[in-house]
Amino acid sequence: MHLPRSRHEYLLREVELRGSVRSAEAAARLGVSEVTIRRDIRELEAAGRLGRVHGGAIALGSERGPRAARALVGVVVPSVVAHFLDTVRGMEALAPALHVRLVLGVSHYRPELEEQQVERLLALGATGLVLAPTTRDRSLDDLAAWLGAIPVPLVLVERRIDALTSLSELDVARTDHAHGAVLAVEHLVRLGHRRVGIGVYDRTPTAPRVRDGYATAVSRMGLAPGPDVALSKGDDDPARLRRELADLLDRCVATGTRAVLVHTDDHAARLVETALDRGMRVPEDLAVVAYDDENAELAAVPLTTVTTPRRELGREALQLLADRIAHGTGHRPPRHVELLPRLTVRASCGAAPRS
């Protein structure tokens, strides 16, 4: 059931983006009666937020009348859960101010579906695209050729592709994941650890940057080498992931390593469970810092984690695209915007949680 506040937000967003909203369509979309929507419209009209008309509502007009969205922007991401869901929400929050209507496509990490989604969005009239392209099972030359043939402005989101000039010259908004890993290792060192292990789910575009940051921090701080274990996803073969986590714990015990950085939150939570099942204490016997902060607080021991700025990243990506649409591709140099993650301290590392 949609609460009054969420219904009001929906009505105002539709009016802002399209200039008007029909009561019947809003009722069907929200799963409530038209009577409820008409009551909401009356309340918003009384508050001076919109104008009520027969069959719906319109934006409060200036002498030029209601303002609708000026541009349709396509967004193609690999999934709409966790990380990219929040990124899309960030774009959605900024879209009304830019008078942009967003249309979402999901690729499920499949290059052929990604290309189909882009074709569909272009056919709908998209004047620009925000893309998180799939780099798996696709050569960089093929990716560059495809992106170069797209006839509207592009912004890549949460991708770092420096191997080809044609790719690196596109506008990009991304998180500095290497910085996040450095934050994690530095924090563990401040807590007294001189050896830090790492476990990484390598089949993500984020993983290489996490590894880069970890290696940088270990070298910069003169740490002893810690265990390094590549982790699988675990959904298709849970037994394999259990073996990998057990291997990481075995190596930590054998080398006297009492701190570990684990990408992702889910993998870190499973590592904590494995450690607890062995009778180990977290953080007393093993301090754990996770990466992503998607479900970290819900772990058996709430996880200290690197928190990525997902919503802010969405806002930056959409703003970059709006600027590029407004000014054209040849009037300013490409922009690479990197946002820094922060460390959220909870119970799993041994430090006092921050309020």
Side-chain angles (χ1 to χ4, degrees), residues 309-355:
R310 298 181 288 270
R311 287 181 180 255
E312 294 85 351
L313 187 71
R315 294 176 63 91
E316 289 290 341
L318 187 58
Q319 186 65 66
L320 279 176
L321 184 61
D323 291 346
R324 181 63 74 185
I325 292 171
H327 299 106
T329 57
H331 296 286
R332 64 168 175 79
R335 297 181 183 179
H336 289 190
V337 175
E338 280 198 329
L339 302 186
L340 299 183
R342 59 183 173 83
L343 192 71
T344 300
V345 177
R346 300 190 180 98
S348 68
C349 67
R354 299 169 185 168
S355 58

Side-chain angles (χ1 to χ4, degrees), residues 15-19 67-72 95 98-102:
V15 164
E16 179 69 19
L17 290 176
R18 297 175 175 81
R67 296 181 301 171
R70 290 196 296 260
L72 187 151
L98 298 177
H99 303 293
V100 163
R101 180 190 171 208
L102 299 178

Side-chain angles (χ1 to χ4, degrees), residues 31-60:
V32 297
S33 69
E34 283 192 60
V35 172
T36 297
I37 295 299
R38 287 196 292 269
R39 183 173 62 246
D40 290 336
I41 289 173
R42 286 196 299 270
E43 292 173 0
L44 290 170
E45 181 186 44
R49 306 294 300 278
L50 48 69
R52 183 161 54 104
V53 297
H54 179 71
I58 61 172
L60 290 176

Side-chain angles (χ1 to χ4, degrees), residues 183-184 186-188 190-191 297 304-305 307 342-347 349 351-355:
L183 284 179
E186 287 182 343
H187 177 71
L188 290 167
R190 284 195 298 270
L191 294 176
E297 195 169 9
T304 293
T305 188
T307 302
R342 59 183 173 83
L343 192 71
T344 300
V345 177
R346 300 190 180 98
C349 67
R354 299 169 185 168
S355 58

